[in-house]
Amino acid sequence: MNLRTTPEATAVAADALVPVQLVATAAMIVALVLWIRIVREITAWQRERIPAGGAYPS
């Protein structure tokens, strides 16, 4: 198996990597924002259900 590449192939791969990294970074930022929203919604829901004293109903 020949693992050698030409300089042209390496340049094409390097040029293609930048847009892929930008898309991946943007997707991760969106996922982080959505995750934070979910955590905030769950926290708000828990605050509504748990009494102010922190004691759970028996």
Side-chain angles (χ1 to χ4, degrees):
M1 186 165 142
N2 188 358
L3 297 178
R4 294 182 194 156
T5 60
T6 63
E8 294 83 15
T10 303
V12 169
D15 290 340
L17 187 60
V18 173
V20 170
Q21 287 178 331
L22 291 174
V23 169
T25 301
M28 291 178 70
I29 290 170
V30 169
L32 176 64
V33 169
L34 293 175
W35 179 80
I36 290 171
R37 288 182 63 192
I38 290 170
V39 169
R40 289 178 62 136
E41 288 179 15
I42 291 172
T43 304
W45 178 79
Q46 287 176 338
R47 284 188 182 138
E48 291 172 3
R49 287 189 49 125
I50 298 173
Y56 290 99
S58 300

